[in-house]
Amino acid sequence: MTALAVISLIVNNAAAHTTKVKPSQLIRNCETGNRATCVVDGDTIRLEGQKIRIADIDTPEVRGPKCASELSLGIKATGRLMELINDGPFELQAWPGRDKDRYGRNLRVLVRDGRSLGDILFSEGLARTWSGTREPWC
């Protein structure tokens, strides 16, 4: 099965740098199965092989956490992000002023019905607003 069968990307408004994403099947954790389109952790996903960093939030690490509570919250954030993504179509909006992070990941905000999915994670206590620098979770 090709990545195109897993997810269809439709360029909605190239001038506004917005891409509409409509999953055609459940997107899973990158730990299991298809790694071309999956959820890496609470603030990083892969779509058709491209790594996307959710630009408006920071979530606890699930790889290399500094304490047990960080790992626990990171697992919850990852699971919740999978639920939000699988709830239906959403848009990828470009991050103003910067296209990629220092690791080469595309910086995007995930939006459904005018609301950032990152904001939902934040409101549920699973993320914090990205301040531009890493801060400890422990």
Side-chain angles (χ1 to χ4, degrees):
M1 180 178 297
T2 68
L4 290 175
V6 175
I7 193 165
S8 61
L9 296 176
I10 304 164
V11 176
N12 183 33
N13 183 350
H17 303 288
T18 299
T19 303
K20 200 165 229 178
V21 179
K22 181 180 178 187
S24 58
Q25 70 181 43
L26 286 180
I27 296 174
R28 305 212 182 273
N29 190 302
C30 289
E31 300 289 322
T32 59
N34 178 8
R35 289 191 48 86
T37 300
C38 57
V39 174
V40 176
D41 60 24
D43 56 25
T44 307
I45 63 174
R46 293 175 78 77
L47 292 176
E48 295 188 341
Q50 292 186 39
K51 262 195 168 178
I52 297 171
R53 170 67 163 81
I54 302 173
D56 59 340
I57 60 166
D58 180 39
T59 61
E61 298 301 321
V62 293
R63 289 169 187 80
K66 304 288 190 248
C67 62
S69 62
E70 179 178 14
L71 176 60
S72 176
L73 193 58
I75 290 168
K76 289 177 187 172
T78 302
R80 182 63 173 129
L81 179 60
M82 271 189 292
E83 289 174 4
L84 290 169
I85 286 175
N86 286 316
D87 277 346
F90 58 92
E91 294 179 350
L92 293 173
Q93 295 182 352
W95 187 246
R98 194 161 167 215
D99 189 53
K100 295 190 182 283
D101 69 5
R102 65 181 176 157
Y103 302 108
R105 299 176 295 188
N106 297 315
L107 294 170
R108 301 292 182 268
V109 177
L110 282 58
V111 177
R112 177 179 295 120
D113 299 326
R115 185 170 186 201
S116 160
L117 300 186
D119 183 52
I120 294 170
L121 290 171
F122 173 81
S123 70
E124 295 175 358
L126 300 172
R128 61 180 163 220
T129 302
W130 176 242
S131 67
T133 59
R134 294 199 126 197
E135 297 175 34
W137 285 93
C138 300

